[in-house]
């Protein structure tokens, strides 16, 4: 299984990726997680990426593509992967296509997780992550059991940064919908349902054979 989960920040790509990992035994490759890890470890790459991330902008393509190339070359990606948060613009999508062509392992499908903008805003402002176990909660829709977790808010989930992230999605990432539609790879699922229902829709969507191109 080689798929991309496409969708605005807050659509639930991370949560669904984790379920797909469990069900299909292929790794989740999240450029956001890789970048946050680099920032936390204060590597040179992390230091370079931090300012763009904190302000809700995209990290430069060369940095992200280098990271992806390295990650895709690891042995656990041989049998497939779930790309979460990558590609984020047309240049990244073209570079990915080239990379996978060289490896002889093209994408099977791209799943667009569709969600209303108002809901996205609430999901992002309410999102909290446990510093210890990494579990994701939402203070509005799925609050944690009291006292059990040490919650933190991602710096880029602060209200003033969210607007910018959604703007970047509209301008740079949304064009990928047409790009993958033209390639016959796009599958669309409604992401405004409970986690299990969305998971079942994604699972069904990725199992569907690609439409025959004329
Ligand atoms: P995410 O966790 O996917 O929402 O990503 C958090 C932040 O990391 C984004 O707002 C960007 O600053 C950066 N980022 C993640 N993935 C990419 C990517 N593919 N290209 C550029 N920047 C990225």
């Amino acid at each position: 299984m080689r798929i991309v989960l496409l969708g605005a920040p807050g659509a639930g790509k991370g949560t669904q990726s984790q379920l797909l990992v469990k069900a299909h035994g292929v790794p989740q490759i999240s450029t956001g997680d890789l970048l946050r890890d680099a920032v936390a470890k204060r590597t040179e790459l992390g230091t370079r990426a931090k300012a763009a991330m904190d302000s809700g902008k995209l990290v430069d393509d060369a940095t992200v593509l280098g990271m992806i190339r390295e990650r895709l070359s690891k042995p656990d990606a041989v049998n497939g992967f779930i790309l979460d948060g990558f590609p984020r613009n047309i240049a990244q999508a073209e570079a990915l296509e080239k990379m996978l062509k060289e490896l002889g392992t093209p994408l099977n499908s791209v799943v667009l997780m569709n969600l209303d903008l108002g809901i996205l805003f609430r999901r992002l402002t309410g999102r909290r992550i446990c510093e210890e176990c990494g579990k994701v909660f939402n203070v509005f829709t799925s609050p944690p059991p009291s006292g059990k977790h040490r919650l933190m808010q991602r710096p880029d989930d602060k209200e003033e940064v969210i607007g910018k992230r959604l703007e970047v999605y509209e301008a740079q990432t949304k064009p990928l919908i047409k790009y993958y539609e033209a390639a016959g790879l796009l599958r669309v699922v409604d992401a405004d349902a409970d986690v299990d229902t969305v998971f079942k829709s994604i699972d069904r969507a990725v199992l569907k054979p690609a439409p025959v191109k004329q």
Side-chain angles (χ1 to χ4, degrees):
M1 169 189 258
R2 291 181 298 275
I3 66 168
V4 170
L5 285 190
L6 189 62
K13 301 187 295 293
T15 304
Q16 292 299 330
S17 297
Q18 284 167 11
L19 294 175
L20 288 162
V21 166
K22 268 197 205 145
H24 298 280
V26 292
Q28 166 195 17
I29 301 182
S30 154
T31 39
D33 285 350
L34 291 170
L35 287 164
R36 275 184 290 280
D37 193 47
V39 170
K41 290 185 178 139
R42 296 171 194 256
T43 65
E44 197 223 313
L45 187 154
T47 314
R48 242 187 302 139
K50 190 176 184 319
M53 292 174 76
D54 285 350
S55 59
K57 295 184 190 146
L58 291 186
V59 173
D60 68 282
D61 289 344
T63 299
V64 173
L65 288 168
M67 225 170 56
I68 279 285
R69 188 168 287 117
E70 194 187 318
R71 184 63 189 86
L72 285 176
S73 69
K74 297 215 164 131
D76 67 339
V78 168
N79 294 324
F81 46 75
I82 296 144
L83 288 173
D84 159 13
F86 176 88
R88 276 294 225 273
N89 59 27
I90 298 281
Q92 292 182 6
E94 286 172 349
L96 173 68
E97 198 176 331
K98 196 161 162 249
M99 244 181 257
L100 295 180
K101 204 170 181 185
E102 280 164 17
L103 295 169
T105 52
L107 287 175
N108 304 125
S109 51
V110 174
V111 180
L112 171 65
M113 298 179 61
N114 233 353
L115 202 62
D116 177 83
L117 214 67
I119 300 172
L120 286 173
F121 205 78
R122 228 165 91 95
R123 282 200 183 176
L124 291 168
T125 50
R127 178 159 64 184
R128 300 290 183 279
I129 300 158
C130 174
E131 277 180 328
E132 273 150 19
C133 70
K135 246 187 131 174
V136 182
F137 298 97
N138 190 293
V139 291
F140 304 123
T141 55
S142 55
S146 60
K148 277 202 171 161
H149 295 273
R150 276 187 44 180
L151 298 185
M152 57 87 103
Q153 184 178 35
R154 273 171 49 172
D156 58 349
D157 278 346
K158 300 238 155 58
E159 234 174 283
E160 56 279 17
V161 185
I162 290 172
K164 181 69 197 170
R165 291 171 65 204
L166 294 176
E167 204 180 286
V168 167
Y169 174 76
E170 286 288 321
Q172 303 197 46
T173 310
K174 240 183 166 176
L176 291 179
I177 298 174
K178 284 224 160 70
Y179 179 89
Y180 284 123
E181 201 171 25
L185 291 171
L186 194 75
R187 314 279 182 276
V188 184
V189 302
D190 176 14
D192 182 17
D194 63 273
V195 170
D196 285 340
T197 308
V198 177
F199 175 66
K200 284 190 188 119
S201 317
I202 294 177
D203 229 22
R204 266 197 309 273
V206 295
L207 293 174
K208 237 192 263 168
V212 180
K213 279 177 91 181
Q214 300 296 320

